Every structure is written in structure tokens, then in C-alpha cells.
């Protein structure tokens, strides 16, 4: 199993002195060391010697890893020989998660699985030979703050490398500053101030791999895009930008789910819904004969994710109810009963998610989404101004929501009404997603509509979560009674959830009326 570390680093162009003298020593002993030593909070800079590193970087033949800011290498030499996979961290542009696996001739299976959504096949890339001189930065108490490495890099494209041009070579020198775990978050900014003052500037390339590809031939591909692309400001341009965003999210979240990162299953499920919703909402822009089959596969994937996410949410909700209930009213081993109820379901749901992501069906879905990105089935409306086309789509979703919600509110309380409100919730979510997709083109009216529809969706969500929770509480009461335990607490919590649902239903008509009065954005408005 691969180990994981989070590296927070920045790369800089080596100073001119290093280029002139032909070695890293000039950079390390001159402007660089002086700048590091003068950084606020740094008390000592210590040399760590020279390492000879030999790394082979892999990618698909069209550079998909480079386009996704993902790096895969096999390194020999130095203190960290082995396979390294570096994944971007969306919340921090300076950080990447680095996964390490032991040195082997072939890519370890656990790393290959993490890359499946990005590569879908065929890794190969250039070899980088690096001479690295390392220095460490310490605080007054001796605490390690950062590591500074001056690298001499030589790269050669191998057969099968992205862009061809086997045998093409390049060489350069760079400085890499990596903040140590626990060091102040502002440290890199303080170091950069000193480096900039010394004439040492941030590198335009985020990784050695990306620069090697750029310097030895065609640069790495950007994220898949249509060629030719719709004109800016058209409905097609806006819808495709929205789809590209959530396509990227789906690919990245596939890896996050495999790593079992917090909230990743939920976010992957959201990405599938947003893509599928856009296909349905903007059917005047994209040909449904092409997008409907992809939408059905997205629905399948969301269904495979649902048990894991639903069990996660339900367990957290019921645990919170228990934690906030007067201890005198929690009779019997209620917390243990909840764990006994949810743990097997969580394990089974997790296995189901893993099987889905490893399946040929999921790989086919990823391939279909990539094909849509490069060859979208645009309809004539895609080439019309977005400000005229998108409001009509929002209006259709608004009418759909109105029909479902009015129908639900007209029904008497009971299972039929609960089901109808759940269907209205789905329509509200789709209307909200549609408004978010249209916001770049329509501005404040779309933002305001999204906010109002979200309020409706949240109330409907409170109601539906209560419906699901009450069913689980009833089942827990049955299980407790069957085991000879008191079912009092579960009945008490059932009543609490029923009160929440009734309160949401009472508030809903007023909130919905505000949405109805204002309506969706108007064409050209």
C-alpha cells in the first residue's frame, strides 16, 4: 500500500550565476543562500550534500496526466527511491499530495487504480536525470522549517513519450522550496519576498515533467476541448465550460473516492448529478440522442454511490440526535445499537463503490465523457447568444419545479405527499444547478434565482432527510425490541424527526411563493 505525504512547495528559476558557472553551487552559495538566511524566522541554513537522482516520468501519449497537473514517476537514487504519484490539492495551489510506493519494475496496482480516471491506458514519458544539492532551514529552536533544493535537470524523451520526438533533450536549473510540516503557513511568502528581491523569480512551470515536455517538443495537452470551439458568449460556450468544470471534478473525485477522502463520495455523486442535469436542462444546446445514453450511465454511477453516501449521512444524523438528547432519556445501549445497525451497511456500500469504479462500465463512461468534451453534439441554438438561449432553459426547469411542488402541496399528509415532495426536491436541485451553470452569462439575476431556489431545495431536503431518518428509527426500534432492549429512545427520536418535517412543510409555501413571484431570469435581462 502506498504511503501519503502532503508537500507544499514552490519552484523558482535558478539565478543567472548558476547558468554562467555551469553548476548548482553558484546558486546555492550566492544569492539563494543569502536570501534564505535573511528570511524572517530562519535562524540557520544547513547544507545536506548532493544527490544523484534518476527518474522516469510516465504519461499517456496525449499528455493527460500533465494536463491534469498529475505527476507519475519511478525514481532511483536519493533518499526516496520508488514510485511517486503527485496529485493536485484543489484548495491550495502550492500543495500536492505525494503517494509513495516501493521501487518495482512495474507500476504498483494501487497507484494504477488511482490513475484510472485520468489515463484510461498507456503510460510512458521522458526520463529526467537530476543532480540535487539540498539545504535545510531551521528556526531559532532548531525546528525544521523548510528544505531548499537546487536541481540540475536533464530530460530526454523516450519512445512513446507525449508528442513523439523520441531522443529530444533539454537541460535547466531550478530551485525548489518545500515547507516542512508544522512550519508557519506564511513561510513560503516570506521566502519568496527575499528571493524576488534577490532577482530569483517563480518558475512558470508547475513541475519538471511539464517543463521537460514543453522544452522537448509540443507542450502537454490542455484539458480536452472542442475544436473548433463555439464563439465566446454563445450558449454552447457557456454550457461546455460548465460541463468541462464538472467533468474535471468527476475525474479528480474518482481518485479521491478510491483514497477514501472525507466527503469524496458525496462530491462525486454531486458531479454526476450536475453533468446529468446539464444534459437535460440544456437539451436545446446539446443533442439528446448523444447525451441521453451518457446521462443514463451517470445515473447508474450515482446509484452505485448512493448507499455509501446515504448511510454516511443517516448515521451522522442519528448519532447527532443521540448526542443532543438528554442522557436520562437514552435508555438501553442505543449508541451500540446504532453502530451495529450502520457498520455492516457501510462496509457493503463501500465494496459496491469500489466494484463500480473498477468496472469496465465506469471506464466506458469516462471515455464517453472525454469524447463529449472534444466532439460535443452541438445543436443550432449552441451558436446563438447565451443571454437569449439560457433563460429559456431556466424557465423550463422553473415550470417543472412549479408543477411538482404545487402537486405535492395539494396532497394530504402521508406517504404519497412525502414521495411527491421528494420529486419536487429533485426538480429544485436541477433548477438550482441550471442557474449556477448560467450565472457566468446571466450575472446577478441567475445568482438571485439560484439563491431562492436553493432555499426551497433545503427545506425539501430537511423534509426528505426526516422521512429517511424516521424509517431508520422505526427499524432500529424493531431491532432493539427483538433483542430485548428498550425501544423508548428510538420512538422519542422518531417524534423529534416528525416535528422537523412538519416545521419544514409549514415554512415551505412562503419560501416557494417568493420564487414563484420573481421567476427565473428573462432573456436579455
Amino acid at each position: 500500500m502506498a504511503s501519503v505525504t502532503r508537500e507544499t512547495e514552490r519552484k523558482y528559476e535558478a539565478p543567472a550565476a548558476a547558468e554562467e558557472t555551469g553548476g548548482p553551487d553558484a546558486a546555492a552559495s550566492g544569492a539563494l543562500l543569502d536570501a534564505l538566511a535573511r528570511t524572517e524566522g530562519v535562524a540557520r541554513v544547513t547544507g545536506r550534500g548532493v544527490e544523484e537522482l534518476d527518474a522516469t516520468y510516465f504519461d499517456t501519449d496525449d499528455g493527460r496526466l500533465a494536463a491534469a497537473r498529475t505527476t507519475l514517476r519511478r525514481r532511483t537514487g536519493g533518499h526516496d527511491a520508488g514510485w511517486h504519484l503527485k496529485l493536485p490539492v484543489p484548495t491550495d495551489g502550492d500543495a500536492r499530495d505525494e503517494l509513495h510506493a516501493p521501487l518495482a519494475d512495474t507500476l504498483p496496482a494501487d497507484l494504477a487504480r488511482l490513475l484510472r480516471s485520468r489515463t484510461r491506458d498507456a503510460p510512458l514519458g521522458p526520463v529526467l536525470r537530476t543532480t540535487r544539492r539540498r539545504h535545510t532551514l531551521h528556526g531559532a529552536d532548531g525546528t525544521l522549517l523548510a528544505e531548499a533544493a537546487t536541481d540540475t535537470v536533464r530530460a530526454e524523451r523516450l519512445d512513446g513519450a507525449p508528442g513523439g520526438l523520441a531522443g529530444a533533450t533539454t537541460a535547466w536549473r531550478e530551485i525548489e522550496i518545500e515547507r516542512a510540516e508544522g512550519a508557519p503557513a506564511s513561510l513560503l511568502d516570506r521566502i519568496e519576498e527575499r528571493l524576488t528581491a534577490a532577482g530569483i523569480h517563480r518558475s512558470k512551470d508547475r513541475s519538471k515533467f511539464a517543463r521537460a515536455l514543453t522544452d522537448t517538443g509540443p507542450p502537454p495537452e490542455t484539458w480536452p476541448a472542442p475544436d473548433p470551439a463555439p464563439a465566446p458568449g454563445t450558449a454552447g460556450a457557456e454550457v461546455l465550460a460548465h460541463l468541462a468544470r464538472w467533468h474535471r471534478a468527476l475525474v479528480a473525485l474518482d481518485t479521491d473516492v478510491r483514497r477514501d477522502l472525507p466527503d469524496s463520495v458525496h462530491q462525486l455523486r454531486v458531479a454526476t448529478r450536475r453533468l446529468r442535469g446539464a444534459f437535460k436542462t440544456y437539451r436545446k444546446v446539446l443533442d439528446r440522442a448523444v447525451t441521453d445514453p451518457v446521462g443514463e450511465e451517470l445515473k447508474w454511477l450515482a446509484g452505485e454511490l448512493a448507499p455509501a453516501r446515504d448511510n454516511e449521512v443517516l448515521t451522522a444524523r442519528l448519532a447527532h440526535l443521540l448526542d443532543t438528547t438528554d442522557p436520562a432519556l437514552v435508555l438501553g445501549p442505543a449508541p451500540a445499537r446504532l453502530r451495529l445497525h450502520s457498520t455492516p451497511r457501510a462496509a457493503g456500500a463501500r465494496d459496491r463503490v469500489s466494484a463500480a469504479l473498477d468496472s469496465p462500465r465506469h471506464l466506458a463512461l469516462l471515455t464517453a465523457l472525454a469524447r463529449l468534451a472534444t466532439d460535443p453534439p452541438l445543436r443550432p441554438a449552441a451558436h446563438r447568444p447565451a443571454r437569449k438561449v439560457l433563460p429559456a432553459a431556466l424557465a423550463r426547469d422553473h415550470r417543472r419545479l412549479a408543477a411538482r411542488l404545487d402537486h405535492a402541496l395539494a396532497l394530504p399528509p402521508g406517504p404519497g405527499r412525502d414521495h411527491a415532495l421528494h420529486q419536487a426536491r429533485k426538480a429544485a436541485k436541477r433548477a438550482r444547478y441550471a442557474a449556477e451553470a448560467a450565472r457566468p452569462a446571466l450575472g446577478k439575476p441567475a445568482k438571485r434565482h439560484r439563491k431562492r431556489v436553493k432555499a426551497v431545495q433545503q427545506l425539501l431536503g430537511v423534509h426528505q432527510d426526516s422521512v429517511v431518518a424516521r424509517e431508520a428509527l422505526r427499524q432500529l426500534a424493531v431491532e432493539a425490541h427483538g433483542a430485548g432492549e428498550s425501544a423508548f429512545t428510538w420512538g422519542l427520536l422518531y417524534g423529534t424527526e416528525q416535528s422537523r418535517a412538519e416545521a419544514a412543510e409549514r415554512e415551505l409555501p412562503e419560501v416557494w411563493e417568493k420564487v414563484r413571484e420573481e421567476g427565473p431570469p428573462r432573456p436579455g435581462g
Side-chain angles (χ1 to χ4, degrees), residues 255-293:
T255 301
D256 291 350
V257 170
R258 293 176 189 274
R259 295 174 60 196
D260 203 20
L261 297 185
D263 202 39
S264 57
V265 172
H266 169 56
Q267 293 302 327
L268 180 56
R269 195 178 176 195
V270 167
T272 65
R273 286 173 168 172
R274 288 180 183 268
L275 288 166
R276 184 166 174 255
F279 291 159
K280 290 180 175 294
T281 295
Y282 297 111
R283 59 184 183 270
K284 298 292 185 180
V285 176
L286 300 170
D287 186 353
R288 290 189 63 178
V290 178
T291 61
D292 275 0

mmCIF file of all heavy atoms in Angstrom, residues 255-293:
data_model
loop_
_atom_site.group_PDB
_atom_site.id
_atom_site.type_symbol
_atom_site.label_atom_id
_atom_site.label_comp_id
_atom_site.label_asym_id
_atom_site.label_seq_id
_atom_site.Cartn_x
_atom_site.Cartn_y
_atom_site.Cartn_z
ATOM 1 N N THR A 255 -10.445 9.593 -8.031
ATOM 2 C CA THR A 255 -9.243 9.276 -7.267
ATOM 3 C C THR A 255 -9.464 9.516 -5.783
ATOM 4 O O THR A 255 -9.025 8.717 -4.938
ATOM 5 C CB THR A 255 -8.064 10.131 -7.766
ATOM 6 O OG1 THR A 255 -7.857 9.874 -9.152
ATOM 7 C CG2 THR A 255 -6.790 9.807 -7.010
ATOM 8 N N ASP A 256 -10.141 10.601 -5.428
ATOM 9 C CA ASP A 256 -10.388 10.897 -4.020
ATOM 10 C C ASP A 256 -11.224 9.810 -3.356
ATOM 11 O O ASP A 256 -10.980 9.437 -2.199
ATOM 12 C CB ASP A 256 -11.111 12.246 -3.883
ATOM 13 C CG ASP A 256 -10.226 13.419 -4.252
ATOM 14 O OD1 ASP A 256 -8.999 13.213 -4.435
ATOM 15 O OD2 ASP A 256 -10.752 14.544 -4.370
ATOM 16 N N VAL A 257 -12.226 9.294 -4.067
ATOM 17 C CA VAL A 257 -13.055 8.223 -3.504
ATOM 18 C C VAL A 257 -12.220 6.967 -3.295
ATOM 19 O O VAL A 257 -12.341 6.291 -2.260
ATOM 20 C CB VAL A 257 -14.260 7.932 -4.426
ATOM 21 C CG1 VAL A 257 -14.981 6.658 -3.988
ATOM 22 C CG2 VAL A 257 -15.220 9.110 -4.428
ATOM 23 N N ARG A 258 -11.369 6.655 -4.237
ATOM 24 C CA ARG A 258 -10.510 5.474 -4.089
ATOM 25 C C ARG A 258 -9.572 5.624 -2.895
ATOM 26 O O ARG A 258 -9.193 4.633 -2.275
ATOM 27 C CB ARG A 258 -9.700 5.257 -5.369
ATOM 28 C CG ARG A 258 -10.532 4.875 -6.587
ATOM 29 C CD ARG A 258 -9.645 4.789 -7.818
ATOM 30 N NE ARG A 258 -10.389 4.624 -9.048
ATOM 31 C CZ ARG A 258 -10.799 3.457 -9.551
ATOM 32 N NH1 ARG A 258 -10.535 2.341 -8.899
ATOM 33 N NH2 ARG A 258 -11.462 3.408 -10.689
ATOM 34 N N ARG A 259 -9.215 6.870 -2.572
ATOM 35 C CA ARG A 259 -8.360 7.131 -1.407
ATOM 36 C C ARG A 259 -9.168 7.256 -0.123
ATOM 37 O O ARG A 259 -8.594 7.463 0.953
ATOM 38 C CB ARG A 259 -7.559 8.415 -1.638
ATOM 39 C CG ARG A 259 -6.566 8.328 -2.779
ATOM 40 C CD ARG A 259 -5.909 9.671 -3.045
ATOM 41 N NE ARG A 259 -5.189 10.140 -1.867
ATOM 42 C CZ ARG A 259 -4.779 11.399 -1.674
ATOM 43 N NH1 ARG A 259 -5.067 12.320 -2.586
ATOM 44 N NH2 ARG A 259 -4.123 11.733 -0.580
ATOM 45 N N ASP A 260 -10.479 7.188 -0.232
ATOM 46 C CA ASP A 260 -11.375 7.267 0.913
ATOM 47 C C ASP A 260 -11.247 8.607 1.635
ATOM 48 O O ASP A 260 -11.275 8.666 2.868
ATOM 49 C CB ASP A 260 -11.109 6.112 1.888
ATOM 50 C CG ASP A 260 -12.317 5.811 2.772
ATOM 51 O OD1 ASP A 260 -13.429 6.207 2.398
ATOM 52 O OD2 ASP A 260 -12.137 5.192 3.844
ATOM 53 N N LEU A 261 -11.119 9.690 0.868
ATOM 54 C CA LEU A 261 -11.016 11.015 1.463
ATOM 55 C C LEU A 261 -12.383 11.488 1.957
ATOM 56 O O LEU A 261 -13.414 11.113 1.396
ATOM 57 C CB LEU A 261 -10.458 12.015 0.444
ATOM 58 C CG LEU A 261 -9.038 11.746 -0.055
ATOM 59 C CD1 LEU A 261 -8.562 12.881 -0.953
ATOM 60 C CD2 LEU A 261 -8.063 11.553 1.109
ATOM 61 N N PRO A 262 -12.413 12.309 2.998
ATOM 62 C CA PRO A 262 -13.689 12.757 3.566
ATOM 63 C C PRO A 262 -14.563 13.465 2.525
ATOM 64 O O PRO A 262 -14.077 14.269 1.730
ATOM 65 C CB PRO A 262 -13.254 13.740 4.674
ATOM 66 C CG PRO A 262 -11.872 13.319 5.035
ATOM 67 C CD PRO A 262 -11.248 12.801 3.764
ATOM 68 N N ASP A 263 -15.835 13.148 2.539
ATOM 69 C CA ASP A 263 -16.864 13.776 1.705
ATOM 70 C C ASP A 263 -16.688 13.502 0.211
ATOM 71 O O ASP A 263 -17.407 14.060 -0.611
ATOM 72 C CB ASP A 263 -16.890 15.297 1.939
ATOM 73 C CG ASP A 263 -18.229 15.923 1.557
ATOM 74 O OD1 ASP A 263 -19.269 15.301 1.810
ATOM 75 O OD2 ASP A 263 -18.220 17.025 0.985
ATOM 76 N N SER A 264 -15.744 12.644 -0.158
ATOM 77 C CA SER A 264 -15.471 12.442 -1.586
ATOM 78 C C SER A 264 -16.607 11.719 -2.294
ATOM 79 O O SER A 264 -16.919 12.035 -3.453
ATOM 80 C CB SER A 264 -14.151 11.677 -1.772
ATOM 81 O OG SER A 264 -14.167 10.439 -1.088
ATOM 82 N N VAL A 265 -17.237 10.751 -1.635
ATOM 83 C CA VAL A 265 -18.359 10.048 -2.261
ATOM 84 C C VAL A 265 -19.495 11.027 -2.551
ATOM 85 O O VAL A 265 -20.083 11.029 -3.640
ATOM 86 C CB VAL A 265 -18.845 8.893 -1.375
ATOM 87 C CG1 VAL A 265 -20.135 8.294 -1.930
ATOM 88 C CG2 VAL A 265 -17.776 7.805 -1.283
ATOM 89 N N HIS A 266 -19.779 11.882 -1.590
ATOM 90 C CA HIS A 266 -20.831 12.888 -1.776
ATOM 91 C C HIS A 266 -20.507 13.813 -2.946
ATOM 92 O O HIS A 266 -21.353 14.067 -3.809
ATOM 93 C CB HIS A 266 -20.985 13.697 -0.494
ATOM 94 C CG HIS A 266 -21.841 14.912 -0.632
ATOM 95 N ND1 HIS A 266 -23.132 14.859 -1.101
ATOM 96 C CD2 HIS A 266 -21.587 16.223 -0.385
ATOM 97 C CE1 HIS A 266 -23.648 16.072 -1.121
ATOM 98 N NE2 HIS A 266 -22.728 16.927 -0.711
ATOM 99 N N GLN A 267 -19.269 14.302 -2.997
ATOM 100 C CA GLN A 267 -18.898 15.237 -4.053
ATOM 101 C C GLN A 267 -18.892 14.566 -5.426
ATOM 102 O O GLN A 267 -19.264 15.196 -6.433
ATOM 103 C CB GLN A 267 -17.523 15.851 -3.753
ATOM 104 C CG GLN A 267 -17.514 16.751 -2.534
ATOM 105 C CD GLN A 267 -18.492 17.900 -2.646
ATOM 106 O OE1 GLN A 267 -18.746 18.431 -3.732
ATOM 107 N NE2 GLN A 267 -19.070 18.305 -1.520
ATOM 108 N N LEU A 268 -18.485 13.307 -5.495
ATOM 109 C CA LEU A 268 -18.536 12.589 -6.775
ATOM 110 C C LEU A 268 -19.982 12.410 -7.226
ATOM 111 O O LEU A 268 -20.303 12.558 -8.417
ATOM 112 C CB LEU A 268 -17.839 11.237 -6.659
ATOM 113 C CG LEU A 268 -17.813 10.387 -7.935
ATOM 114 C CD1 LEU A 268 -17.194 11.138 -9.105
ATOM 115 C CD2 LEU A 268 -17.059 9.072 -7.688
ATOM 116 N N ARG A 269 -20.847 12.121 -6.291
ATOM 117 C CA ARG A 269 -22.266 11.980 -6.619
ATOM 118 C C ARG A 269 -22.839 13.310 -7.129
ATOM 119 O O ARG A 269 -23.625 13.350 -8.081
ATOM 120 C CB ARG A 269 -23.020 11.508 -5.376
ATOM 121 C CG ARG A 269 -24.415 10.980 -5.636
ATOM 122 C CD ARG A 269 -24.992 10.504 -4.329
ATOM 123 N NE ARG A 269 -26.372 10.069 -4.457
ATOM 124 C CZ ARG A 269 -27.190 9.885 -3.417
ATOM 125 N NH1 ARG A 269 -26.748 10.094 -2.198
ATOM 126 N NH2 ARG A 269 -28.423 9.474 -3.597
ATOM 127 N N VAL A 270 -22.417 14.413 -6.498
ATOM 128 C CA VAL A 270 -22.854 15.734 -6.946
ATOM 129 C C VAL A 270 -22.381 16.003 -8.376
ATOM 130 O O VAL A 270 -23.128 16.529 -9.215
ATOM 131 C CB VAL A 270 -22.332 16.832 -5.993
ATOM 132 C CG1 VAL A 270 -22.505 18.221 -6.608
ATOM 133 C CG2 VAL A 270 -23.059 16.761 -4.652
ATOM 134 N N ALA A 271 -21.131 15.633 -8.676
ATOM 135 C CA ALA A 271 -20.602 15.851 -10.028
ATOM 136 C C ALA A 271 -21.413 15.081 -11.066
ATOM 137 O O ALA A 271 -21.719 15.612 -12.142
ATOM 138 C CB ALA A 271 -19.130 15.439 -10.090
ATOM 139 N N THR A 272 -21.782 13.842 -10.749
ATOM 140 C CA THR A 272 -22.585 13.066 -11.705
ATOM 141 C C THR A 272 -23.949 13.735 -11.918
ATOM 142 O O THR A 272 -24.459 13.787 -13.036
ATOM 143 C CB THR A 272 -22.795 11.623 -11.216
ATOM 144 O OG1 THR A 272 -23.569 11.615 -10.012
ATOM 145 C CG2 THR A 272 -21.466 10.937 -10.956
ATOM 146 N N ARG A 273 -24.536 14.245 -10.845
ATOM 147 C CA ARG A 273 -25.857 14.876 -10.967
ATOM 148 C C ARG A 273 -25.795 16.171 -11.756
ATOM 149 O O ARG A 273 -26.703 16.490 -12.530
ATOM 150 C CB ARG A 273 -26.418 15.143 -9.563
ATOM 151 C CG ARG A 273 -26.900 13.888 -8.851
ATOM 152 C CD ARG A 273 -27.280 14.211 -7.427
ATOM 153 N NE ARG A 273 -28.014 13.116 -6.798
ATOM 154 C CZ ARG A 273 -28.321 13.095 -5.502
ATOM 155 N NH1 ARG A 273 -27.948 14.089 -4.719
ATOM 156 N NH2 ARG A 273 -28.993 12.077 -4.994
ATOM 157 N N ARG A 274 -24.743 16.943 -11.544
ATOM 158 C CA ARG A 274 -24.627 18.218 -12.256
ATOM 159 C C ARG A 274 -24.436 17.980 -13.757
ATOM 160 O O ARG A 274 -25.002 18.712 -14.578
ATOM 161 C CB ARG A 274 -23.473 19.037 -11.682
ATOM 162 C CG ARG A 274 -23.786 19.608 -10.299
ATOM 163 C CD ARG A 274 -22.612 20.401 -9.767
ATOM 164 N NE ARG A 274 -22.860 20.883 -8.433
ATOM 165 C CZ ARG A 274 -23.383 22.069 -8.123
ATOM 166 N NH1 ARG A 274 -23.757 22.880 -9.094
ATOM 167 N NH2 ARG A 274 -23.545 22.447 -6.869
ATOM 168 N N LEU A 275 -23.637 17.006 -14.112
ATOM 169 C CA LEU A 275 -23.452 16.699 -15.527
ATOM 170 C C LEU A 275 -24.758 16.213 -16.146
ATOM 171 O O LEU A 275 -25.172 16.684 -17.213
ATOM 172 C CB LEU A 275 -22.355 15.650 -15.692
ATOM 173 C CG LEU A 275 -20.927 16.119 -15.431
ATOM 174 C CD1 LEU A 275 -19.987 14.926 -15.299
ATOM 175 C CD2 LEU A 275 -20.451 17.041 -16.550
ATOM 176 N N ARG A 276 -25.405 15.295 -15.461
ATOM 177 C CA ARG A 276 -26.654 14.738 -15.989
ATOM 178 C C ARG A 276 -27.733 15.819 -16.061
ATOM 179 O O ARG A 276 -28.506 15.894 -17.040
ATOM 180 C CB ARG A 276 -27.105 13.583 -15.101
ATOM 181 C CG ARG A 276 -28.352 12.856 -15.594
ATOM 182 C CD ARG A 276 -28.525 11.541 -14.856
ATOM 183 N NE ARG A 276 -29.782 10.912 -15.211
ATOM 184 C CZ ARG A 276 -30.860 10.878 -14.431
ATOM 185 N NH1 ARG A 276 -30.813 11.431 -13.227
ATOM 186 N NH2 ARG A 276 -31.971 10.287 -14.820
ATOM 187 N N GLY A 277 -27.791 16.681 -15.052
ATOM 188 C CA GLY A 277 -28.766 17.749 -15.059
ATOM 189 C C GLY A 277 -28.550 18.723 -16.215
ATOM 190 O O GLY A 277 -29.507 19.184 -16.841
ATOM 191 N N ALA A 278 -27.270 19.024 -16.491
ATOM 192 C CA ALA A 278 -26.971 19.933 -17.601
ATOM 193 C C ALA A 278 -27.396 19.324 -18.933
ATOM 194 O O ALA A 278 -27.902 20.031 -19.820
ATOM 195 C CB ALA A 278 -25.483 20.259 -17.621
ATOM 196 N N PHE A 279 -27.203 18.023 -19.094
ATOM 197 C CA PHE A 279 -27.639 17.370 -20.331
ATOM 198 C C PHE A 279 -29.151 17.563 -20.523
ATOM 199 O O PHE A 279 -29.619 17.805 -21.642
ATOM 200 C CB PHE A 279 -27.336 15.876 -20.293
ATOM 201 C CG PHE A 279 -25.867 15.541 -20.355
ATOM 202 C CD1 PHE A 279 -25.405 14.306 -19.909
ATOM 203 C CD2 PHE A 279 -24.944 16.442 -20.856
ATOM 204 C CE1 PHE A 279 -24.074 13.986 -19.975
ATOM 205 C CE2 PHE A 279 -23.599 16.122 -20.916
ATOM 206 C CZ PHE A 279 -23.168 14.891 -20.472
ATOM 207 N N LYS A 280 -29.907 17.431 -19.428
ATOM 208 C CA LYS A 280 -31.360 17.529 -19.526
ATOM 209 C C LYS A 280 -31.823 18.980 -19.689
ATOM 210 O O LYS A 280 -32.679 19.289 -20.523
ATOM 211 C CB LYS A 280 -32.007 16.903 -18.282
ATOM 212 C CG LYS A 280 -31.874 15.386 -18.221
ATOM 213 C CD LYS A 280 -32.526 14.839 -16.975
ATOM 214 C CE LYS A 280 -32.520 13.311 -16.960
ATOM 215 N NZ LYS A 280 -33.356 12.749 -18.033
ATOM 216 N N THR A 281 -31.256 19.872 -18.880
ATOM 217 C CA THR A 281 -31.686 21.270 -18.925
ATOM 218 C C THR A 281 -31.366 21.912 -20.269
ATOM 219 O O THR A 281 -32.191 22.630 -20.844
ATOM 220 C CB THR A 281 -31.013 22.063 -17.798
ATOM 221 O OG1 THR A 281 -31.479 21.569 -16.541
ATOM 222 C CG2 THR A 281 -31.332 23.555 -17.903
ATOM 223 N N TYR A 282 -30.178 21.653 -20.772
ATOM 224 C CA TYR A 282 -29.721 22.345 -21.982
ATOM 225 C C TYR A 282 -29.823 21.450 -23.216
ATOM 226 O O TYR A 282 -28.916 21.369 -24.035
ATOM 227 C CB TYR A 282 -28.299 22.861 -21.751
ATOM 228 C CG TYR A 282 -28.257 23.878 -20.634
ATOM 229 C CD1 TYR A 282 -27.644 23.598 -19.423
ATOM 230 C CD2 TYR A 282 -28.902 25.100 -20.782
ATOM 231 C CE1 TYR A 282 -27.638 24.524 -18.389
ATOM 232 C CE2 TYR A 282 -28.910 26.030 -19.753
ATOM 233 C CZ TYR A 282 -28.279 25.737 -18.564
ATOM 234 O OH TYR A 282 -28.294 26.662 -17.551
ATOM 235 N N ARG A 283 -30.968 20.791 -23.323
ATOM 236 C CA ARG A 283 -31.186 19.882 -24.450
ATOM 237 C C ARG A 283 -31.374 20.625 -25.765
ATOM 238 O O ARG A 283 -31.313 20.008 -26.829
ATOM 239 C CB ARG A 283 -32.385 18.989 -24.174
ATOM 240 C CG ARG A 283 -33.693 19.712 -23.923
ATOM 241 C CD ARG A 283 -34.777 18.694 -23.567
ATOM 242 N NE ARG A 283 -36.085 19.296 -23.380
ATOM 243 C CZ ARG A 283 -36.551 19.753 -22.222
ATOM 244 N NH1 ARG A 283 -35.764 19.696 -21.153
ATOM 245 N NH2 ARG A 283 -37.760 20.259 -22.115
ATOM 246 N N LYS A 284 -31.612 21.939 -25.722
ATOM 247 C CA LYS A 284 -31.674 22.725 -26.961
ATOM 248 C C LYS A 284 -30.274 23.075 -27.458
ATOM 249 O O LYS A 284 -30.111 23.491 -28.611
ATOM 250 C CB LYS A 284 -32.458 24.016 -26.736
ATOM 251 C CG LYS A 284 -33.908 23.821 -26.339
ATOM 252 C CD LYS A 284 -34.722 23.227 -27.475
ATOM 253 C CE LYS A 284 -36.194 23.163 -27.108
ATOM 254 N NZ LYS A 284 -37.019 22.574 -28.201
ATOM 255 N N VAL A 285 -29.283 22.897 -26.571
ATOM 256 C CA VAL A 285 -27.889 23.199 -26.915
ATOM 257 C C VAL A 285 -27.137 21.941 -27.328
ATOM 258 O O VAL A 285 -26.327 21.961 -28.258
ATOM 259 C CB VAL A 285 -27.192 23.882 -25.718
ATOM 260 C CG1 VAL A 285 -25.706 24.126 -26.005
ATOM 261 C CG2 VAL A 285 -27.893 25.194 -25.381
ATOM 262 N N LEU A 286 -27.410 20.834 -26.634
ATOM 263 C CA LEU A 286 -26.738 19.559 -26.896
ATOM 264 C C LEU A 286 -27.754 18.523 -27.341
ATOM 265 O O LEU A 286 -28.852 18.424 -26.775
ATOM 266 C CB LEU A 286 -26.021 19.066 -25.629
ATOM 267 C CG LEU A 286 -24.936 19.980 -25.063
ATOM 268 C CD1 LEU A 286 -24.487 19.486 -23.693
ATOM 269 C CD2 LEU A 286 -23.740 20.034 -26.009
ATOM 270 N N ASP A 287 -27.385 17.746 -28.321
ATOM 271 C CA ASP A 287 -28.276 16.741 -28.906
ATOM 272 C C ASP A 287 -28.506 15.603 -27.920
ATOM 273 O O ASP A 287 -27.571 14.888 -27.543
ATOM 274 C CB ASP A 287 -27.654 16.211 -30.199
ATOM 275 C CG ASP A 287 -28.590 15.271 -30.942
ATOM 276 O OD1 ASP A 287 -29.664 14.927 -30.401
ATOM 277 O OD2 ASP A 287 -28.238 14.872 -32.071
ATOM 278 N N ARG A 288 -29.751 15.421 -27.499
ATOM 279 C CA ARG A 288 -30.073 14.394 -26.506
ATOM 280 C C ARG A 288 -29.859 12.982 -27.037
ATOM 281 O O ARG A 288 -29.692 12.044 -26.240
ATOM 282 C CB ARG A 288 -31.514 14.565 -26.028
ATOM 283 C CG ARG A 288 -31.721 15.801 -25.187
ATOM 284 C CD ARG A 288 -33.092 15.816 -24.566
ATOM 285 N NE ARG A 288 -33.273 14.693 -23.637
ATOM 286 C CZ ARG A 288 -34.390 14.499 -22.929
ATOM 287 N NH1 ARG A 288 -35.411 15.347 -23.070
ATOM 288 N NH2 ARG A 288 -34.493 13.482 -22.108
ATOM 289 N N ALA A 289 -29.871 12.811 -28.349
ATOM 290 C CA ALA A 289 -29.613 11.469 -28.882
ATOM 291 C C ALA A 289 -28.220 10.992 -28.482
ATOM 292 O O ALA A 289 -27.976 9.788 -28.356
ATOM 293 C CB ALA A 289 -29.744 11.485 -30.409
ATOM 294 N N VAL A 290 -27.303 11.939 -28.273
ATOM 295 C CA VAL A 290 -25.940 11.609 -27.849
ATOM 296 C C VAL A 290 -25.803 11.663 -26.338
ATOM 297 O O VAL A 290 -25.168 10.797 -25.721
ATOM 298 C CB VAL A 290 -24.922 12.563 -28.510
ATOM 299 C CG1 VAL A 290 -23.502 12.255 -28.028
ATOM 300 C CG2 VAL A 290 -25.003 12.458 -30.027
ATOM 301 N N THR A 291 -26.376 12.679 -25.703
ATOM 302 C CA THR A 291 -26.156 12.865 -24.266
ATOM 303 C C THR A 291 -27.029 11.966 -23.390
ATOM 304 O O THR A 291 -26.630 11.645 -22.273
ATOM 305 C CB THR A 291 -26.412 14.326 -23.872
ATOM 306 O OG1 THR A 291 -27.773 14.677 -24.172
ATOM 307 C CG2 THR A 291 -25.460 15.256 -24.613
ATOM 308 N N ASP A 292 -28.211 11.563 -23.867
ATOM 309 C CA ASP A 292 -29.075 10.727 -23.027
ATOM 310 C C ASP A 292 -28.413 9.415 -22.605
ATOM 311 O O ASP A 292 -28.495 9.037 -21.429
ATOM 312 C CB ASP A 292 -30.394 10.443 -23.742
ATOM 313 C CG ASP A 292 -31.414 11.560 -23.542
ATOM 314 O OD1 ASP A 292 -31.068 12.540 -22.841
ATOM 315 O OD2 ASP A 292 -32.527 11.471 -24.091
ATOM 316 N N PRO A 293 -27.747 8.679 -23.523
ATOM 317 C CA PRO A 293 -27.082 7.450 -23.072
ATOM 318 C C PRO A 293 -25.986 7.712 -22.039
ATOM 319 O O PRO A 293 -25.819 6.923 -21.098
ATOM 320 C CB PRO A 293 -26.493 6.876 -24.379
ATOM 321 C CG PRO A 293 -27.348 7.454 -25.462
ATOM 322 C CD PRO A 293 -27.705 8.828 -24.994
#
